[in-house]
Amino acid sequence: MTDSALPATSREWRLLSRPVGWPKPEDFELAETEIRQPGSGEVLVRNEYLSVDPYMRGRMSAAKSYVAPFELGKAMQGGAVGEVVASGAEGIAVGDHVLHFGGWREYATVDAKQAVKVDPEAAPLSAYLGALGMTGLTAYAGLLRTAAFKEGDAVFVSGAAGAVGSQVGQIARLKGASRVIGSAGSDDKVKLLVEEYGFDAAFNYKNGPVGEQLRTAAPDGVDVYFDNVGGEHLEAAIGSLNHGGRIAICGMISVYNNTEPAPGPKNLARLIQTRGRIEGLLVGDHYDLQPQFVQEVGAWIRSGELKYRETVVEGIENNLEAFLGVLRGDNTGKMIVKI
């Protein structure tokens, strides 16, 4: 079945050249392309909300990574949620809403096996890109599995006002952390962490050395550090790590646009003393937790125990600016583009 009112063309963002340092507008183009009707086993989706995330900066480079780089001259990809307007697949009908990875465009023809039906009655559609989506699962799996959080742990989160960080801190609190500390890049975000998200302490990393501020906020040290930032934050966390402490490396946004390799922490030898552990985190390794995550976190969201913020940018034409805003830290919570 097909929606007879469909337009003939759709706009999509393409990568024209691989950025060096900070991405520039001339590295991209917003192009018009013909909409392809779905074949057998495919669905055509009118995207309503698009996700822009820090990891996308890595896909703009040709360097080997955990995910293939974006192809030059072709539409980029990212998380998206929208309404099915034509279907060639069993089990997904016109009018259904799905989550998929054909983002950075207005319409997407996708393999139905790569689309997940979502319920707009259970939660706002945009939440499936954030609090109940990949970022939420990243927080859940990273804290509970990678960092092996246990009740009574003191937890430090960098980038704590972002989509992942804000959820990590709240889940730690709901699971019985002894203390939750966050860092953010503005006084307003620090206030948000304490007053709305229930962090015990928070600080603005721009107001002084991170190590000093962390020692003040966590005088008894930290058992878990959830790293979204890297650099000075990672070194500070190692300096405050308690015996048997765990560090989950989710992201290092402070170094993504560096043109030279960033120096590593100078105090790694302290891990010998603390028997500390550092482990990298990729959400794709933890999709087995998805049902448990949706059930537990969905209940917290419905009850109001877990809160989330979104920064919404309107219009496909502003997709690139929204992405650059994430790299600058303009967002509070999940950055979403509403088409």
Side-chain angles (χ1 to χ4, degrees), residues 105-263:
R105 66 200 85 183
E106 292 174 305
Y107 286 80
T109 305
V110 298
D111 184 341
K113 293 177 183 174
Q114 306 300 319
V116 178
K117 288 202 318 191
V118 297
D119 183 1
E121 301 297 321
L125 280 177
S126 58
Y128 292 102
L129 294 176
L132 282 176
M134 185 174 70
T135 49
L137 181 59
T138 301
Y140 188 86
L143 177 68
L144 301 182
R145 180 177 278 173
T146 307
F149 171 85
K150 58 185 185 295
E151 188 176 349
D153 280 344
V155 177
F156 171 44
V157 188
S158 59
V164 173
S166 59
Q167 212 150 328
V168 170
Q170 291 183 83
I171 293 170
R173 174 176 55 78
L174 289 163
K175 289 281 191 180
S178 60
R179 190 166 179 79
V180 179
I181 305 103
S183 73
S186 75
D187 292 341
D188 285 342
K189 289 181 179 179
V190 166
K191 186 177 178 184
L192 173 73
L193 292 176
V194 175
E195 294 184 1
E196 185 166 330
Y197 294 150
F199 282 59
D200 296 290
F203 59 86
N204 182 345
Y205 66 83
K206 296 175 182 175
N207 288 349
V210 176
E212 291 179 14
Q213 294 196 78
L214 178 58
R215 283 191 292 275
T216 300
D220 297 322
V222 298
D223 303 296
V224 168
Y225 170 50
F226 195 104
D227 190 16
N228 292 303
V229 174
E232 185 185 0
H233 278 79
L234 178 56
E235 188 166 299
I238 292 171
S240 285
L241 202 64
N242 289 331
H243 185 277
R246 289 87 66 204
I247 295 174
I249 305 290
C250 177
M252 292 193 172
I253 199 169
S254 69
V255 303
Y256 285 169
N257 292 303
N258 289 5
T259 54
E260 298 293 329

Side-chain angles (χ1 to χ4, degrees), residues 30 36 40 53 95 109 225 248 308:
L30 180 59
R36 182 174 69 80
S40 177
D53 304 279
T109 305
Y225 170 50
Y308 67 93

Side-chain angles (χ1 to χ4, degrees), residues 234-240 264-271:
L234 178 56
E235 188 166 299
I238 292 171
S240 285
K266 297 189 292 288
N267 58 348
L268 278 174
R270 193 168 184 278
L271 294 174

Side-chain angles (χ1 to χ4, degrees), residues 15 21 23 37 50 55 80 82 88 93 99 116 133 148 197-198 200 217 221 231-232 261 264 276 285 305 310 318 331:
L15 185 67
Q37 291 300 316
L50 307 177
Y55 81 86
L99 173 68
V116 178
Y197 294 150
D200 296 290
E232 185 185 0
D285 296 335
E305 293 174 277
E310 294 173 340
N318 295 313
N331 56 305

